[in-house]
Amino acid sequence: MTHWTPSARQELEHYFGRIRPGLEAGGADATEVIEDLRRHVEQEAAASPLAVVTEEDVRRLLARIGAPEPVAPGPEPTRPAAAITSTATEKVGPKASWWLLVLGVVLPTLTLIVELGTGMCAGAFFDPVPTPWHLFLVVLVPGMNLWTWWAIRQGRHGQRARLGWANGIVLGVCTFYALLFLPLLLPGVFALIFYGFGLLPWTPTLTLVATVGLRRRLRALTPTRPAGPLPGLAPGLAIGLLALALADAPVWLTRYGLHLAASEDSRRQARGLRWLRAAANDEVLLRACYGRTRAAANMDVVGWIFSGGEDVSADKARELYYRVTGRAFNSVPAPAVRTGRGRFADLDEWTWDADQGGERVGGRLKGLTLQGSRLDAVVDAPAATAYYEWTLEFKNDARGAREARAQVLLPPGGVVSRLTLWVNGEEREAAFAGRSRVREAYQRVAIRQRRDPVLVTTAGPDRVLVQCFPVPPDGGTMKVRLGMTAPLVLPRAEEGLLLWPCFLERNFTVPEQTAHSLWVEAQTALVVAGTALRAETPKPGLYAVRGLLDDRALADPTHAVRVPRERAPRVAWTQDTRSPVPRIIRQTIADTAAVERPTRVVVVVDGSRGMQPHLGLLADTLGQLPAGVELALVLATDVASREPMDDVSADPARQRAVIEGLRRLRLVGGQDNLPALVRAWDLAAEKDGSVILWIHGPQPVLLASGEALRQRYDRRPNGPRILELQTEAGPDRVIEQLDGVTRLNAVPRLGPLAEDLRRIVAGWEGGVREVTVLREPVPGDGLASGESGHETSLHLARLWAHGEITRLRAQRQVDAAVELAARYQLVTPVSGAVVLETQAQYEATGLEPVDPATVPAIPEPSTWLLLALGLAGILARFRRTR
């Protein structure tokens, strides 16, 4: 503490007495000015290293602060006195230039109005005000700058401290946005000639300069000079930056987690997954799945900070989206990657479809929708076959052409046997050939020439990939028809089930108002459950089921149509008109021996989050296993479990403990099921007669190679049987990877999951007989040889050919399999179907479209039935003329 001597106090008061007359003569408030000078002197003395202030020290301190010299009063005040009193009397402070008002207030206000009205930056690069909190902080900048400018202009030094804090916060906001727009400054110079766009990226920097200038003038806002320190710079700057950091926290937290999880270091991967599962923002994750333009990536300052300049690829983001959420990224609507408005809405069209022309569905495309869906079917109950025609009409409201892609789940055992495209209102049929040939033709015509083909290839067992391009822009439509031949599902010989095809994944939107219009007909009774579909009898001997189903309901097996077959013959046949030699295809339906009771059941449970609602049901089902059957449970998860489940045991107490542990599990994210399947195979292979029951949700991402499991079946073809049961419709990359493994059998979904699980366990209890269907070629003419049984259509021959192609493929007789597929006009793992626009395109690609007279249709009567109908018509006409 500084001590003042009495002589020092006396010297200071003497000085004040000498300057008072001059202050009063100048019209100033002498008392106010003197008190202000006293405060400054005392502050200077306290800040100096003086322990004792003497009379000489007072004179030195007065000189240091620039105190006015004493003058005698006169008719006009001297310049020093006027300078001191100008702030207090005229309220004219430091010069608040008009350019500070223009750059600090007018420019950011106009820029914000333009961005909110047009979305210019949001459409081309990123949204600078994505949330209301960002908008509030941006509006704060011109608001606080206007307040500061006006206070300086009016000389309101009493608000100096509060304005210092406000200015510091505004500096923090301006600094953040100036850094964010830094990469656009140079391009902005060259873009000034276009609507003033080039000035917009410069706004944060120019506003930052103006805000700094306002702070310098604010520091001088005081009735005396020099001014003291202006408060609020460092704390205010920190508050502004912290506020924006908190507003962007979901973004940078998710980006940081993505960078960790994409690392090649396993420990960093695990830490990144934990981080994302705990704190990730779904929208940020989803945006990463669709990638960004190079310009947007280059100006991503946050990304530079948290990823070291390396952006996570869209493919890796899609994988991580599944591992974090347990869902496929394209199972939900696409995010608004760009949000341009008005005339800048066209910037949305810069989004490039990286999967166009490829072999995967990819992300949802803006403006591409399913406008109409019609699904017709005809059932031949005695032959236990069905033929479907699914007519799809796509609409594209975007400004650019789009490719519609979808993976379709066929009815069990089904095969695509027809493909039609409408070109200029006319139906064009497909060419069937080897898989590589049709895909090369599609890519040449669709992707390079941008004409009108449609392509169908297989995508795993009972799965096909449908893709057509281009769906014309600006409201254009494209119409295709998919014909499918399939057997009825026979849970028992006396009853068949007609299951509907459905989408597993798609890159287009199915609007809520777009329902699938279903219609099925048969010559025997049809039964439906619920009220969504309605059974009717249009006329004697004809039965129908019709109704509307939304996209989710179409994939629900509870809407299957039941086909009674109590009196149906067990033998059906058809004349094989596609064979080069006379023959028939005979089908025999038989009840074989009861289902063999397994000695050991290894249950593989998908540990993905979507399986959580099914754990209780699964536990109840496993509690009903037949006594004496050994049980082991393998959980597919990357999270360590406290419940040891894969210990094989036939002890009921131990099995109950495993089942109760299953109930207590808490599942997270999306999990890799392949390692668990390999572990289950090893457990099941230890004992003959073992079965693997794999219960899982969709597997939209292949996280590991299936070669380890495929190798086991290559070396031991009669290894443990895998029963695969999927809880809900969706893509399954694991099944696609294991296509061709004969010991992997998909359990068809025939109803609610509880009933399907009980049906499996009931089969192990004994007394349930399996239904087998044998299709075989028989030489000769069916009618000439007096073939017994039910004569049916060529669909029976198509189903036989489908099975024969599978056999030839397993024996590596690919050329023979391709030739057979082309002869019967089928889409198989070795063949595909493509429709081109013109005959010249077919000739250029070496393909030949099928004769329209040879394609199946609804209905497809046999040749003899046509003759019978014709004869009946002639007889009826003859009777009328008598």
Side-chain angles (χ1 to χ4, degrees):
M1 181 175 178
T2 304
H3 175 71
W4 285 65
T5 63
S7 61
R9 290 290 183 186
Q10 185 178 2
E11 177 62 24
L12 183 61
E13 293 302 328
H14 179 65
Y15 166 76
F16 290 152
R18 286 186 293 158
I19 67 171
R20 180 179 291 274
L23 295 176
E24 292 175 346
D29 186 344
T31 301
E32 181 180 350
V33 175
I34 289 172
E35 289 302 320
D36 192 47
L37 286 173
R38 188 193 305 277
R39 184 171 62 255
H40 277 283
V41 171
E42 290 177 349
Q43 289 176 352
E44 286 292 329
S48 67
L50 297 174
V52 177
V53 179
T54 65
E55 180 181 353
E56 184 62 31
D57 294 330
V58 170
R59 298 190 187 97
R60 188 164 53 253
L61 290 173
L62 288 171
R64 184 185 303 172
I65 68 173
E69 293 294 332
V71 295
E76 293 183 1
T78 62
R79 171 58 62 181
I84 295 177
T85 60
S86 61
T87 302
T89 58
E90 300 176 17
K91 294 187 178 180
V92 178
K95 185 178 181 182
S97 304
W98 288 101
W99 71 269
L100 295 175
L101 180 67
V102 172
L103 297 184
V105 179
V106 178
L107 181 60
T109 301
L110 291 178
T111 301
L112 181 61
I113 292 174
V114 170
E115 178 61 27
L116 292 178
T118 66
M120 186 185 300
C121 182
F125 302 104
F126 71 101
D127 192 348
V129 283
T131 67
W133 183 239
H134 286 83
L135 180 60
F136 168 76
L137 292 174
V138 172
V139 169
L140 197 67
V141 172
M144 292 296 99
N145 280 348
L146 178 61
W147 178 28
T148 303
W149 184 87
W150 185 252
I152 294 173
R153 191 76 178 176
Q154 295 298 311
R156 297 179 179 176
H157 55 81
Q159 300 175 351
R160 184 171 177 269
R162 284 174 291 173
L163 289 172
W165 280 88
N167 180 266
I169 295 173
V170 170
L171 279 174
V173 175
C174 291
T175 301
F176 177 86
Y177 277 98
L179 290 174
L180 197 62
F181 280 88
L182 186 63
L184 283 181
L185 294 184
L186 183 59
V189 174
F190 297 101
L192 277 172
I193 59 175
F194 298 107
Y195 309 105
F197 167 74
L199 192 60
L200 298 185
W202 277 88
T203 297
T205 300
L206 295 177
T207 304
L208 176 62
V209 172
T211 305
V212 173
L214 286 171
R215 186 170 189 87
R216 292 181 60 187
R217 285 153 178 79
L218 187 62
R219 187 181 296 114
L221 183 60
T222 177
T224 59
R225 288 187 177 84
L230 182 66
L233 176 60
L237 189 69
I239 290 173
L241 291 173
L242 181 61
L244 280 167
L246 291 177
D248 274 335
V251 176
W252 58 263
L253 284 174
T254 304
R255 293 277 185 84
Y256 178 67
L258 279 171
H259 178 62
L260 284 179
S263 170
E264 296 186 2
D265 183 89
S266 58
R267 289 175 297 180
R268 288 171 59 87
Q269 284 183 17
R271 189 164 74 251
L273 274 178
R274 290 194 300 269
W275 182 286
L276 290 172
R277 287 168 178 169
N281 180 277
D282 279 3
E283 184 177 0
V284 176
L285 273 178
L286 197 57
R287 284 174 180 266
C289 295
Y290 286 83
R292 295 183 294 168
T293 63
R294 182 178 297 275
N298 287 344
M299 67 176 301
D300 181 9
V301 177
V302 175
W304 299 348
I305 296 173
F306 290 103
S307 65
E310 297 181 3
D311 208 21
V312 176
S313 68
D315 286 341
K316 188 64 177 179
R318 294 172 182 183
E319 173 189 317
L320 293 174
Y321 184 86
Y322 165 67
R323 298 190 71 180
V324 172
T325 67
R327 303 188 305 267
F329 83 102
N330 56 8
S331 66
V332 296
V337 178
R338 298 186 177 85
T339 55
R341 293 171 288 280
R343 65 187 300 175
F344 293 95
D346 291 348
L347 293 172
D348 289 1
E349 306 308 320
W350 291 5
T351 303
W352 174 250
D353 180 11
D355 299 298
Q356 183 173 299
E359 297 188 50
R360 59 182 183 180
V361 172
R364 298 276 187 95
L365 297 182
K366 177 191 173 183
L368 187 61
T369 59
L370 180 67
Q371 180 175 258
S373 172
R374 168 181 170 176
L375 188 50
D376 299 87
V378 60
V379 175
D380 187 344
T385 61
Y387 174 68
Y388 307 75
E389 285 188 349
W390 196 356
T391 305
L392 303 168
E393 186 171 4
F394 303 102
K395 182 179 180 182
N396 179 20
D397 291 320
R399 297 295 180 88
R402 301 294 200 200
E403 181 185 44
R405 298 184 296 271
Q407 190 180 112
V408 175
L409 177 66
L410 304 178
V415 60
V416 171
S417 53
R418 184 182 186 184
L419 178 61
T420 310
L421 172 67
W422 275 260
V423 178
N424 298 324
E426 297 181 359
E427 296 183 20
R428 303 287 178 86
E429 297 298 330
F432 291 81
R435 184 185 184 100
S436 60
R437 288 185 61 192
V438 296
R439 177 161 292 281
E440 196 279 332
Y442 176 81
Q443 291 177 338
R444 177 189 300 182
V445 176
I447 308 306
R448 300 173 198 165
Q449 301 179 15
R450 303 180 73 83
R451 302 302 290 270
D452 284 343
V454 58
L455 173 70
V456 175
T457 52
T458 59
D462 298 334
R463 292 161 169 82
V464 293
L465 175 64
V466 182
Q467 47 195 138
C468 49
F469 179 88
V471 184
D474 299 320
T477 61
M478 195 171 190
K479 185 177 178 182
V480 301
R481 176 171 56 210
L482 200 64
M484 296 159 280
T485 300
L488 297 180
V489 177
L490 300 175
R492 54 193 184 92
E494 294 77 16
E495 183 182 53
L497 286 176
L498 178 86
L499 299 179
W500 301 104
C502 64
F503 294 124
L504 291 179
E505 59 176 337
R506 48 187 165 80
N507 75 334
F508 50 85
T509 299
V510 180
E512 293 183 2
Q513 66 272 19
T514 300
H516 303 280
S517 179
L518 278 57
W519 197 303
V520 56
E521 291 185 349
Q523 295 182 351
T524 57
L526 301 174
V527 181
V528 292
T531 58
L533 300 177
R534 184 176 66 182
E536 59 187 18
T537 306
K539 59 182 179 180
L542 182 64
Y543 301 86
V545 167
R546 61 186 179 89
L548 299 174
L549 294 179
D550 62 28
D551 200 53
R552 181 178 295 273
L554 185 65
D556 189 343
T558 60
H559 295 295
V561 178
R562 298 188 178 274
V563 185
R565 300 185 66 257
E566 288 86 355
R567 299 179 182 179
R570 298 297 184 94
V571 177
W573 62 277
T574 186
Q575 193 71 40
D576 188 1
T577 58
R578 300 291 171 86
S579 172
V581 297
R583 71 181 179 191
I584 65 171
I585 302 297
R586 180 191 298 154
Q587 172 182 275
T588 304
I589 298 175
D591 292 329
T592 59
V595 177
E596 183 179 355
R597 178 177 176 176
T599 57
R600 175 182 295 179
V601 175
V602 182
V603 181
V604 178
V605 178
D606 178 14
S608 301
R609 187 165 66 183
M611 287 291 295
Q612 189 72 53
H614 307 302
L615 293 183
L617 175 62
L618 180 56
D620 292 340
T621 303
L622 294 180
Q624 301 171 9
L625 282 177
V629 175
E630 295 180 352
L631 172 66
L633 193 147
V634 180
L635 182 64
T637 180
D638 56 16
V639 179
S641 173
R642 298 179 180 179
E643 309 287 347
M645 297 181 177
D646 59 355
D647 294 335
V648 180
S649 175
D651 178 43
R654 174 58 187 156
Q655 290 186 3
R656 285 194 297 271
V658 170
I659 292 171
E660 289 306 313
L662 180 63
R663 295 182 190 274
R664 293 191 295 267
L665 289 176
R666 290 295 174 265
L667 307 181
V668 295
Q671 303 296 337
D672 184 4
N673 282 229
L674 273 167
L677 287 171
V678 171
R679 170 63 177 158
W681 193 96
D682 293 339
L683 291 173
E686 294 174 354
K687 193 168 188 177
D688 293 338
S690 297
V691 172
I692 299 172
L693 176 59
W694 176 31
I695 304 171
H696 64 95
Q699 305 285 296
V701 177
L702 190 67
L703 298 174
S705 172
E707 288 305 314
L709 187 59
R710 184 178 284 277
Q711 180 190 46
R712 284 162 167 76
Y713 281 107
D714 288 342
R715 297 302 180 185
R716 192 181 299 180
N718 295 323
R721 183 183 179 193
I722 300 179
L723 301 179
E724 178 259 333
L725 182 65
Q726 187 164 327
T727 58
E728 59 182 281
D732 189 342
R733 307 292 181 238
V734 175
I735 289 295
E736 296 172 18
Q737 183 83 350
L738 299 178
D739 188 17
V741 175
T742 58
R743 298 292 286 175
L744 175 60
N745 305 118
V747 178
R749 293 294 312 278
L750 306 183
L753 182 61
E755 294 183 8
D756 291 334
L757 287 171
R758 282 195 293 268
R759 178 164 46 89
I760 296 173
V761 175
W764 295 336
E765 293 176 347
V768 177
R769 304 179 70 84
E770 285 185 322
V771 178
T772 60
V773 180
L774 175 65
R775 302 183 188 97
E776 56 184 346
V778 178
D781 185 284
L783 292 178
S785 60
E787 183 71 22
S788 62
H790 170 69
E791 182 182 5
T792 185
S793 66
L794 194 61
H795 289 302
L796 189 62
R798 295 187 179 98
L799 292 176
W800 167 82
H802 186 215
E804 182 68 7
I805 290 168
T806 301
R807 185 186 67 82
L808 292 172
R809 180 190 175 210
Q811 296 177 355
R812 292 183 170 83
Q813 300 181 42
V814 178
D815 292 340
V818 171
E819 189 277 330
L820 192 63
R823 188 196 313 163
Y824 287 86
Q825 300 169 7
L826 303 177
V827 175
T828 69
V830 298
S831 62
V834 65
V835 182
L836 305 181
E837 187 177 10
T838 65
Q839 183 61 36
Q841 292 171 353
Y842 281 113
E843 294 174 357
T845 54
L847 299 174
E848 182 66 30
V850 301
D851 186 347
T854 65
V855 299
I858 291 183
E860 187 193 36
S862 64
T863 303
W864 291 106
L865 181 56
L866 285 174
L867 292 175
L869 291 175
L871 180 60
I874 294 173
L875 290 176
R877 183 175 181 182
F878 176 74
R879 289 176 180 175
R880 286 196 301 268
T881 59
R882 291 185 62 182

